[in-house]
Amino acid sequence: MMTDTDVAARAAAAFSDRFEGAPDGLWAAPGRVNLIGEHTDYNDGFVLPFALPERVVAAAARTDAGWSACSEFTDETVRFDDVSPGAVTGWGAYVAGVVWALREAGFDVPPARLAIASDVPVGAGLSSSHALECAVLTALIDLGELDLPLEDRPRLVQRSENGYVGAPTGIMDQSASLRCRAGHALFLDCRTLEVEHIPFDVAAEGLAVLVLNSNAPHSHSDGEYGARRRSCEDAARILGVPALRDVPVDGLSDALKRLDDEVMRRRVRHVVTENQRVLDTVGLLRSGRIREIGPLLTASHASMRDDFEITVPRVDIAVEAALMAGAYGARMTGGGFGGCVLALIDADRADATTAAVTAAYDRHGFAAPTPLVAVPSPGASRLA
Ligand code: GAF
């Protein structure tokens, strides 16, 4: 596994290669794994992500006018003065969107040059694009000495994502990248944005969270994400509540009786039961009972598979194989339609669990998954 230092060195080297001189500083923002609480964020519900050691690093410096960005992933250097929505497209929109959202919020954003490097796997559902936006935001805030409290930063990144990039995502990923702490999971109330840092020292318990990238192609994920969100919002309107967060789990069967559409009933059941699973998981973790969260993770997966219908065979097969190999619990993590599976395992079972999933993939003709052991890590910060 690469470290911040490797990625930071690459970002600094990219800066010197493409721009003149050295950067004023280096800023890093992590990808995330969501332990539990999927598609609950835009329903004003609860989530429990933690930040990864894998990070996006922005090497950045103030300049005289405009913004320029380059990345180790492409030869293209994006330059722009105009940040109106639509003016910058492609990967540069993730940079321009942050500038736009800061200006919309009334900030005097410093002109800057930014060089990006990253070891967050791309297209794996580990939030690489939010990590990019959060690294850019953190760099611009420091370069411009902007007064934007930490707790207000996720909303601004969400505004960039929704209003500029054009993805109707919720508030979880930015919150994780910006607000997580090492050794903890972030219990976030997505309505009030209150957080509680829940100790999640898996290593001290002889455990590990193994993350396996299914490498399944993310076909149709954008459209399906929007469709799930609309279905939840329509259901809340029919039920006469501000959001599905307001349907208590003991009121679920009554609520379901008031919905005619069978698909909508399943969507609601997922969200309402998933919120409860987050609360139950937090309860167990608060009393140090980490192993016991396993069945909640596995139940979350079943709910995503059967009710929310956002899994694909490759992630279902990985979950089943990990459980057969002795995992305490396993589930898909992230937006769905591919991406990663996480499994709570004994720390010495990472290779055996990966081998079991690889063998199952082999039987189905799928290429081997890519493993990483996820260590709860700190949120965005200045490195140098
Ligand atoms: C994606 C989104 F960006 C999040 O806001 C969240 O909805 C997640 O999918 C599903 O839990 O990562």
Side-chain angles (χ1 to χ4, degrees):
M1 186 199 306
M2 279 178 277
T3 63
D4 267 358
T5 322
D6 302 314
V7 188
R10 297 206 311 268
F15 188 97
S16 319
D17 272 3
R18 310 263 191 110
F19 305 122
E20 280 169 28
D24 294 342
L26 298 167
W27 289 265
R32 64 94 191 93
V33 156
N34 188 19
L35 190 56
I36 194 163
E38 224 63 82
H39 288 258
T40 44
D41 60 351
Y42 56 79
N43 289 297
D44 278 2
F46 306 106
V47 293
L48 192 60
F50 64 87
L52 291 168
E54 286 73 16
R55 272 144 216 262
V56 171
V57 176
R62 283 188 75 122
T63 186
D64 297 335
W67 294 272
S68 317
C70 66
S71 141
E72 62 175 348
F73 298 110
T74 162
D75 291 336
E76 172 199 29
T77 298
V78 181
R79 298 175 202 282
F80 53 91
D81 299 297
D82 175 9
V83 289
S84 46
V88 183
T89 54
W91 75 272
Y94 291 96
V95 180
V98 172
V99 175
W100 170 77
L102 278 167
R103 286 170 60 150
E104 287 279 296
F107 290 101
D108 185 12
V109 186
R113 295 176 300 185
L114 303 110
I116 306 297
S118 172
D119 64 353
V120 183
V122 174
L126 298 177
S127 203
S128 59
S129 57
H130 282 105
L132 167 57
E133 291 167 301
C134 293
V136 170
L137 177 81
T138 310
L140 292 174
I141 285 173
D142 278 4
L143 287 176
E145 297 179 11
L146 309 181
D147 183 15
L148 182 57
L150 181 61
E151 58 273 22
D152 297 337
R153 296 181 187 187
R155 275 275 182 248
L156 198 129
V157 176
Q158 186 187 24
R159 175 117 177 80
S160 158
E161 183 84 7
N162 296 169
Y164 202 97
V165 175
T169 49
I171 192 73
M172 170 171 70
D173 299 347
Q174 315 81 337
S175 302
S177 188
L178 291 163
R179 301 185 74 179
C180 276
R181 290 189 187 160
H184 293 74
L186 184 82
F187 175 36
L188 172 69
D189 179 330
C190 299
R191 170 168 282 165
T192 64
L193 301 189
E194 273 171 43
V195 302
E196 181 182 341
H197 298 278
I198 307 288
F200 189 57
D201 189 355
V202 278
E205 291 292 315
L207 298 169
V209 175
L210 175 67
V211 173
L212 293 164
N213 184 354
S214 71
N215 295 311
H218 274 249
S219 52
H220 309 305
S221 58
D222 289 357
E224 294 290 347
Y225 185 95
R228 294 302 180 284
R229 185 169 182 156
R230 276 193 302 282
S231 183
C232 292
E233 287 165 355
D234 290 347
R237 252 190 308 279
I238 294 169
L239 294 170
V241 290
L244 291 183
R245 145 74 172 276
D246 299 297
V247 179
V249 77
D250 58 6
L252 176 60
S253 53
D254 281 349
L256 296 182
K257 282 184 201 135
R258 295 170 53 208
L259 298 172
D260 294 334
D261 184 76
E262 170 52 26
V263 172
M264 190 181 273
R265 280 202 290 271
R266 290 205 297 274
R267 305 298 186 246
V268 171
R269 190 164 55 205
H270 166 72
V271 173
V272 173
T273 58
E274 185 78 347
N275 273 328
Q276 188 59 45
R277 282 186 287 271
V278 176
L279 298 176
D280 293 345
T281 302
V282 167
L284 288 168
L285 293 182
R286 278 194 191 119
S287 37
R289 292 154 66 188
I290 299 185
R291 272 181 190 75
E292 291 174 53
I293 72 171
L296 293 164
L297 304 180
T298 306
S300 167
H301 186 79
S303 180
M304 291 190 286
R305 182 191 60 214
D306 302 336
D307 280 347
F308 220 59
E309 298 177 284
I310 53 170
T311 71
V312 294
R314 241 186 267 211
V315 301
D316 295 337
I317 290 165
V319 165
E320 277 160 36
L323 292 170
M324 290 291 288
Y328 294 100
R331 64 184 288 275
M332 185 188 73
T333 181
F337 307 99
C340 289
V341 158
L342 67 80
L344 180 67
I345 58 171
D346 285 323
D348 59 3
R349 295 283 301 161
D351 289 346
T353 310
T354 304
V357 175
T358 303
Y361 272 22
D362 200 39
R363 285 195 294 279
H364 287 85
F366 298 141
T370 317
L372 78 89
V373 173
V375 179
S377 298
S381 67
R382 184 171 189 155
L383 298 179

